[in-house]
Amino acid sequence: MVLFANGEAGAARVLTARLLPRALRHATRVLGNASEAEDVAQEAMLRLWRAASDWQADGPARPATWLYKVTANLAVDRLRLRKRSVPLEAAPEPEDETPGPAAAMDDATRRAALDAALQTLPERQRQAVVLRHLEGLSNPDIAAVLDISVEAVESLTSRGRRALAAVLVGQKEALGYDE
Amino acid sequence: MTSEKDTDGLAAFFDAANRDAGPGDDLMARVLADAAAVQAEAARAPMPEPARPGLLQTLGGWITVSGLAAACAAGVAIGVSLPSAVSAGFDGSLGAILTGQEAVGFAGFDAVSFVDGGVIE
């Protein structure tokens, strides 16, 4: 971050490669809309660039955690602007999948099912589940991102995971999940 | 990416989500363009202006000004003291009044100009 703030051109590329995928994954799973997720991820990165010059040596120890927090807040803003009944534009219809490797089709179908199930969760549960089980953040880190207690995170992730399982387990066989 | 025991069968869904394609080239390009714009803006930010030579430098620096200040104070002190003390002490002892200061710079100055607060050029 210091190198970026000092004008190093290569620093932006390294930071983008490292951080943009996280912001995009997080936004995609929370919003269930690829286009909106890209907008949110781009905006989050822009705020990172602008904040970098103020950080220098006094910035947050982990910019990734800061970025997740910004992404979470931007996603919440987006969610408040639209109805919950908006169909998932990022979820392809399984029967419309073009011929391709079987594994890729299964992955796409599972992602679509997961996205649909995530959208049934309350926003806080969804954020917590995405950050815990998809982004791999620790509970203390999630608490910092969502500005809640660690106990609240544990409650949200466990309830969210149970709710997801209730929605998805019944669809396992139909989705080709045969582990 | 969950490290918990997968007793509910969700691991396959999470793994599939994590195998999702990352940001496309278009998004990467937009983000990098934003970064370049922010860096360019920061580079164009006006630098703090160097301090202009102020009255301090014009007067010859702190040593001269502090001596001037002491001389002014001395002049005030002389002015409020008995006139005889002024005339008797001016020529040689003005330097003694400027304790701790280099008096040579003031030797040629007219005491009246100090008392009057004349401008030193």
Side-chain angles (χ1 to χ4, degrees), chain A residues 8 11 16 28 30 32 43 52 64 69 78 80 85 87 91 106 109-110 113 122 130 134 139 143 146 154 161 173-174:
Chain A
E8 289 285 334
T16 299
T28 301
V30 170
E43 176 64 25
K69 188 178 182 92
R78 286 277 174 150
R80 287 172 182 164
S85 59
D106 289 342
T109 305
R110 289 171 188 165
V130 168
L134 292 168
N139 286 344
L146 299 181
E154 291 168 352
R161 187 165 180 143
E173 293 179 2

Side-chain angles (χ1 to χ4, degrees), chain B residues 71-84:
Chain B
C72 288
V76 171
I78 292 169
V80 300
S81 68
L82 294 174
S84 59

Side-chain angles (χ1 to χ4, degrees), chain A residues 4 8 42 107 111 134 161, chain B residues 8 16 19 30 34 39:
Chain A
F4 173 83
E8 289 285 334
Q42 182 181 355
D107 269 2
R111 274 194 294 273
L134 292 168
R161 187 165 180 143
Chain B
D8 53 18
R19 284 191 291 269
R30 294 202 303 271
D34 287 342
Q39 285 182 311

Side-chain angles (χ1 to χ4, degrees), chain A residues 39 46-47 58 70 73 80 98 106 145:
Chain A
D39 289 345
L46 177 60
R47 296 191 183 197
D58 299 328
V70 171
N73 290 336
R80 287 172 182 164
T98 55
D106 289 342
V145 168

Side-chain angles (χ1 to χ4, degrees), chain A residues 57-121:
Chain A
D58 299 328
R62 282 177 292 179
T65 304
W66 184 93
L67 189 67
Y68 279 125
K69 188 178 182 92
V70 171
T71 302
N73 290 336
L74 289 172
V76 167
D77 290 344
R78 286 277 174 150
L79 288 170
R80 287 172 182 164
L81 291 176
R82 59 173 163 97
K83 298 176 181 179
R84 292 178 181 274
S85 59
V86 171
L88 298 173
E89 297 179 19
E93 293 291 334
E95 58 269 22
D96 291 334
E97 282 293 318
T98 55
M105 289 174 65
D106 289 342
D107 269 2
T109 305
R110 289 171 188 165
R111 274 194 294 273
L114 177 62
D115 284 342
L118 281 167
Q119 292 303 306
T120 66
L121 301 183

